Amino acid sequence: PEHPSTPAATSSGVDEYYMSFLVDRVAHAVVAADAARRPAKLALAIGSMPSNTQSCWSSYPYIDDQAMPVMQARDESGHVIFTLADVSTHAETFAFSGVPSYVTTLSADWPGAMRAALQARWPGSVGVEVAGMVGSVETPTVYEPETTQVLRVPGAFHGVAGNPDGCSSVYPQPSSGTPVSEARQFIAAYGRSVADATAAALAKGHVVTPTVLQGQHSSVCVQLENNLFVAAAAAGLFPDRPLYADPGCTVGAPLSGSVAPPGESSTSGSTSGLPPTWLKTDVGVVTLGPAQLAYSPGEVFP
C-alpha cells in the first residue's frame, strides 16, 4: 500500500547531537591515521566502470563519464595500506528498492561490498570509495556473469528491466547476461564488479613516490535560486547555513520577507520579486605528487 503523504516539516531534520558526535569521531580518526602514517609509494591509474554495468539516468542531459580513477598506497614492505576508487554512481540501492524492510535498513550499500572485496584481496588494508560525477547518474543495471559486455554506444532513451531501483538508459541491452534484480544480490554483485575493475586498473597503474602534499581551500558565494529552499531557510530548516544579502557573502540576509508568496512557482529569485539570497560554500584541492583530488559541493554532472 502507498504511504500517506508526509506533512511539510516545521523544524530541521538535522540531529545536532549526532552531528557533533560524528564530527568528533571523524576528527579523532584523522589524528589517529596521521599518527600511524608511514612512507609509501602510490599506484595511480584511470580505470573504467565495470563492463557488465549499464548506466542509468533520472534526467536530461544524459551525460556519462566511464572513467574510474583509482589510487593505491603500498608501504616499503609492499603491503597495501589503502585502495581508493572514484565511482560515478549513487549508493541508493535499498533506499529506492521499494521493499519496505530494505528502505528502513541501515546499510553501507554497494560501497560496503566494494570495500570488503578490496580488503579481502589485500588483507590488512583499507578500501575507500569516493563518489565522483554522480549528478543524475543513478544506480546502474548490473549483469551476470561479470564477463558480460554492455555496448556503450548511445541510442534511444528506454526503460531497462531488471534493475532493483528502476532504470532508464541510452545504452542498448547486452546480447547476453542476466540483470541482477534483487537488491541484496545487486549490492554484492556491483561491489564485487567495481573492486575487480579497480584491481584490473591498478595492474597497469603508474607507480610514483610522491614528494609533494599540498592542500588548497577557498570559500565561494552562490546565489540560492530555488524559492522552496529560500522558504525552508526562512522557516529555520537549515539552522547551520546562514543566508547572505550580497554576492560576497558579507552581509547577513534577514529572514523576514524572504519567503516566496503563496502560489509562487518561479525557481529564480531574480524574477520572483524576492530579494536575492546567497549561500557560502567551499571548494578544495589536495595535491599528492602527480595526483589531485578536487572537492566541490553538490552532485556534479560528469
Side-chain angles (χ1 to χ4, degrees), residues 46-118:
I46 303 293
S48 297
M49 294 294 292
S51 62
N52 64 325
T53 60
Q54 185 178 25
S55 296
C56 303
W57 291 270
S58 60
S59 63
Y60 180 85
Y62 316 126
I63 304 172
D64 197 15
D65 184 357
Q66 290 292 323
M68 190 175 72
V70 297
M71 175 189 297
Q72 186 178 74
R74 291 178 176 266
D75 65 18
E76 294 175 323
S77 300
H79 296 123
V80 175
I81 301 171
F82 72 83
T83 306
L84 179 149
D86 184 347
V87 188
S88 296
T89 55
H90 286 282
E92 58 191 12
T93 315
F94 277 176
F96 295 106
S97 66
V99 180
S101 62
Y102 286 175
V103 172
T104 57
T105 297
L106 183 63
S107 166
D109 210 275
W110 62 262
M114 182 208 80
R115 293 195 301 267
L118 291 174

Side-chain angles (χ1 to χ4, degrees), residues 17-264:
Y17 174 82
Y18 174 74
M19 293 303 292
S20 177
F21 163 83
L22 179 63
V23 169
D24 181 71
R25 287 299 181 93
V26 170
H28 278 84
V30 171
V31 172
D34 181 64
R37 62 180 174 167
R38 55 193 187 274
K41 292 184 177 182
L42 288 179
L44 306 171
I46 303 293
S48 297
M49 294 294 292
S51 62
N52 64 325
T53 60
Q54 185 178 25
S55 296
C56 303
W57 291 270
S58 60
S59 63
Y60 180 85
Y62 316 126
I63 304 172
D64 197 15
D65 184 357
Q66 290 292 323
M68 190 175 72
V70 297
M71 175 189 297
Q72 186 178 74
R74 291 178 176 266
D75 65 18
E76 294 175 323
S77 300
H79 296 123
V80 175
I81 301 171
F82 72 83
T83 306
L84 179 149
D86 184 347
V87 188
S88 296
T89 55
H90 286 282
E92 58 191 12
T93 315
F94 277 176
F96 295 106
S97 66
V99 180
S101 62
Y102 286 175
V103 172
T104 57
T105 297
L106 183 63
S107 166
D109 210 275
W110 62 262
M114 182 208 80
R115 293 195 301 267
L118 291 174
Q119 290 165 191
R121 184 184 292 266
W122 292 291
S125 67
V126 176
V128 182
E129 186 267 341
V130 175
M133 306 296 190
V134 298
S136 189
V137 185
E138 310 302 337
T139 302
T141 301
V142 174
Y143 295 86
E144 288 188 334
E146 198 173 311
T147 53
T148 302
Q149 298 288 318
V150 174
L151 183 63
R152 296 195 175 111
V153 177
F157 191 56
H158 62 95
V160 176
N163 186 298
D165 293 350
C167 170
S168 295
S169 182
V170 296
Y171 294 145
Q173 303 301 99
S175 58
S176 63
T178 303
V180 182
S181 58
E182 204 283 322
R184 286 191 181 276
Q185 295 175 7
F186 173 92
I187 285 173
Y190 187 40
R192 182 176 60 251
S193 294
V194 172
D196 289 344
T198 299
L202 287 169
K204 303 176 182 179
H206 178 58
V207 179
V208 299
T209 302
T211 57
V212 175
L213 174 59
Q214 184 181 44
Q216 295 171 287
H217 164 271
S218 180
S219 294
V220 294
C221 197
V222 293
Q223 185 172 350
L224 182 58
E225 296 182 342
N226 186 316
N227 277 339
L228 293 177
F229 276 29
V230 174
L237 300 188
F238 307 144
D240 296 325
R241 296 302 301 270
L243 303 180
Y244 296 90
D246 67 309
C249 286
T250 59
V251 180
L255 294 183
S256 60
S258 296
V259 182
E264 177 64 67

